[in-house]
Amino acid sequence: MGHPKSGQRRSVPRRFILGGLLLSFIMAYYCLSSTAANVHVISEATPCLQAQSSRPSTNASHRSWHQNASFCTPKTNLMFMKTHKTASSTLLNILFRFGDKHQLKFALPDGRNDFFYPAFFQRSHVHRYTPGACFNILGNHMRFNLPEVEQLLPRDAFFFTILRDPAEVFESSFHYYHGVVPFTWFIPGEDKLRAFLDIPSQYYSPDGFNSFYLKNLLMFDFGYDNTMEPDDPRVTSAIREVSERFRLVLLAEHFEESLILLKDALCWDMEDLLFLKLNVRRGSSVSRLSPAMRARALQWNSADWRLYRHFNHSFWAKVEAYGRGRMARDVEELRRRNAEMRAICVDGGAAVDPSGIKNTELAPWQPMGEKSIMGYNLRTDISARHAELCRKMLTPEIQYLTELGVNLWVTRLWGWLTDKVSWFT
């Protein structure tokens, strides 16, 4: 009788072969589903006719008081450009809860948790879209396409987005998407990120499958060519266009300050901003960039770096206009109220590794081939007053979309298949 370990050794190549075949099928299927999304283009101009939703209450509890001692009306027509790896999932949860609270009408994806990204956004990607349909909130991942977006929202819609230091975006994207970016599979050594940044041209081609995840991802999300060099006139034009269209650009590194500016711009209440950080990676999975690696990452993502520096400047100009002292007081209040909600809602008071999540309904989506995204456990002794808010604050995007009526069959099939690949390999 053969030794059991010899049989296991012989089975390893088979598992890699099967895993490779299954992964090829996954990529082909997902690529085709994104490509097909561009086929169903609605060419005629059919702008939205009216906002088909109820409005927030106008009583004092739902109005914000500004320094000029005048009441303002909360804005409810919102376009949030959800960029990748920028704390945008946490912001989307805030929008979901606000829309739920005020019975607003969401433009949601159809079959997936994104609008057939990386294809350019089309109105036909919206769940149950009909020509002339009008929505209040649009916010899931897309590749931005302004003419199509404008057809879905009232003219007074408030456009906003969020950016993050491009070196950190690159680091996060490199690790999160490595399972679906073939370029990264053949990089030698343990520190693949360092090896890539040493000689990016050796492991990158703009025509490669999912290559956009590895260079100027922010520019790509906004619909621009992600291979532009920083001195390309198109970069200047792109920055100008984003500035003209988006009335507020937030920064992930200053998330609380960003929310306070958003609250002021939208005339929301502090309770509308409460949040728990979602889609956060386990600390051990994050590569700490040395100064040299950070410099190389910024050089490699130089178009994104120009974009970020421009809006970093405008962000702090808005903070100055808001008032530094006022901002500090409001941020402190937001942090205090968030800490209170964390203590009320979260079992143990902190996020836990995926293996420690007790309720699978609150388990976040995981990148292919690993379990690195942390989640929360809901306390079992929450009062009736806070039960619903706590549950929604802890609900990941996939599960929240399901609650809102989206049949995520493509996303769930992708998840099932990638789990099988992980097992095979």
Side-chain angles (χ1 to χ4, degrees):
M1 181 180 293
H3 196 281
K5 289 187 176 180
S6 63
Q8 292 174 4
R9 285 195 296 268
R10 286 195 298 270
S11 69
V12 170
R14 295 179 186 174
R15 291 176 64 181
F16 272 105
I17 292 171
L18 290 172
L21 291 172
L22 185 54
L23 183 59
S24 299
F25 168 77
I26 290 173
M27 289 188 163
Y29 170 78
Y30 208 70
C31 185
L32 287 172
S33 71
S34 295
T35 304
N38 272 334
V39 175
H40 307 290
V41 177
I42 302 171
S43 58
E44 74 277 9
T46 52
C48 77
L49 303 176
Q50 60 181 352
Q52 302 169 1
S53 71
S54 60
R55 292 294 186 216
S57 168
T58 57
N59 63 41
S61 65
H62 290 138
R63 293 179 295 184
S64 297
W65 188 269
H66 279 221
Q67 283 185 319
N68 62 5
S70 62
F71 281 115
C72 59
T73 303
K75 290 182 173 61
T76 56
N77 298 320
L78 309 169
M79 193 284 151
F80 172 50
M81 177 59 203
K82 188 178 189 290
T83 49
H84 283 83
K85 317 314 296 175
T86 59
S88 59
S89 294
T90 303
L91 253 174
L92 187 61
N93 181 271
I94 292 173
L95 287 181
F96 281 163
R97 286 185 281 118
F98 182 84
D100 259 354
K101 176 181 177 181
H102 297 299
Q103 300 179 336
L104 302 178
K105 187 175 181 181
F106 291 97
L108 298 170
D110 192 9
R112 320 172 22 157
N113 61 306
D114 59 47
F115 290 107
F116 287 88
Y117 185 89
F120 279 102
F121 175 78
Q122 302 290 339
R123 283 166 284 162
S124 58
H125 299 171
V126 174
H127 182 55
R128 295 178 179 173
Y129 172 78
T130 57
C134 197
F135 301 87
N136 300 110
I137 298 178
L138 175 63
N140 289 85
H141 275 311
M142 66 168 67
R143 191 166 187 210
F144 190 62
N145 184 0
L146 178 59
E148 288 292 303
V149 167
E150 286 183 320
Q151 300 299 318
L152 293 172
L153 299 165
R155 290 185 178 179
D156 67 347
F158 186 93
F159 282 58
F160 69 103
T161 188
I162 186 168
L163 302 180
R164 184 185 179 191
D165 183 317
E168 302 300 329
V169 171
F170 174 78
E171 183 279 330
S172 183
S173 179
F174 186 92
H175 288 297
Y176 190 90
Y177 296 109
H178 73 88
V180 294
V181 183
F183 289 127
T184 65
W185 299 349
F186 308 106
I187 301 174
E190 292 294 322
D191 194 344
K192 295 179 181 294
L193 180 64
R194 179 184 294 276
F196 180 94
L197 288 174
D198 282 343
I199 319 174
S201 59
Q202 184 170 329
Y203 305 109
Y204 177 84
S205 167
D207 300 322
F209 185 79
N210 282 343
S211 64
F212 56 87
Y213 284 124
L214 299 181
K215 188 175 179 63
N216 293 316
L217 180 55
L218 296 173
M219 277 291 189
F220 186 86
D221 283 353
F222 283 108
Y224 300 106
D225 180 358
N226 67 311
T227 65
M228 294 185 294
E229 294 302 322
D231 57 352
D232 191 318
R234 293 177 297 165
V235 175
T236 301
S237 177
I239 292 172
R240 183 180 65 251
E241 289 172 357
V242 174
S243 299
E244 291 173 350
R245 178 66 274 181
F246 291 87
R247 295 172 61 183
L248 184 60
V249 177
L250 312 177
L251 300 181
E253 293 83 0
H254 304 282
F255 195 69
E256 287 98 343
E257 291 88 346
S258 293
L259 290 182
I260 297 302
L261 290 180
L262 185 66
K263 168 184 175 294
D264 188 61
L266 301 183
C267 195
W268 284 10
D269 292 323
M270 189 69 78
E271 67 183 44
D272 296 321
L273 307 179
L274 301 179
F275 70 92
L276 292 167
K277 292 182 180 179
L278 300 178
N279 208 35
V280 175
R281 284 188 295 160
R282 184 174 55 239
S284 60
S285 70
V286 178
S287 297
R288 304 301 176 187
L289 297 175
S290 67
M293 288 179 66
R294 172 177 164 77
R296 287 196 290 270
L298 291 178
Q299 182 180 15
W300 177 244
N301 296 277
S302 52
D304 274 2
W305 183 222
R306 275 196 63 189
L307 179 78
Y308 180 83
R309 282 184 295 165
H310 174 89
F311 287 106
N312 182 68
H313 177 77
S314 65
F315 177 87
W316 291 110
K318 286 181 169 61
V319 171
E320 288 291 342
Y322 187 85
R324 290 275 185 170
R326 181 184 173 208
M327 175 63 74
R329 291 190 297 272
D330 287 350
V331 166
E332 181 61 29
E333 181 187 352
L334 177 59
R335 289 174 177 170
R336 177 184 60 80
R337 295 184 64 169
N338 273 332
E340 290 175 352
M341 290 307 301
R342 191 181 306 111
I344 291 170
C345 301
V346 179
D347 187 14
V352 297
D353 281 349
S355 60
I357 299 173
K358 301 173 185 176
N359 186 349
T360 56
E361 293 181 0
L362 296 178
W365 178 269
Q366 298 293 336
M368 192 173 94
E370 60 181 89
K371 303 290 185 182
S372 60
I373 304 302
M374 302 179 73
Y376 297 94
N377 287 315
L378 191 66
R379 288 184 58 160
T380 58
D381 58 348
I382 304 172
S383 67
R385 175 188 171 193
H386 294 109
E388 187 66 5
L389 175 58
C390 285
R391 186 186 64 80
K392 289 182 177 180
M393 288 180 71
L394 270 62
T395 300
E397 178 182 338
I398 300 296
Q399 291 89 321
Y400 215 132
L401 283 170
T402 301
E403 287 191 20
L404 292 173
V406 179
N407 179 5
L408 298 172
W409 69 272
V410 175
T411 295
R412 295 190 184 282
L413 177 60
W414 170 260
W416 180 83
L417 289 171
T418 54
D419 281 346
K420 294 301 181 185
V421 167
S422 300
W423 184 87
F424 277 119
T425 57

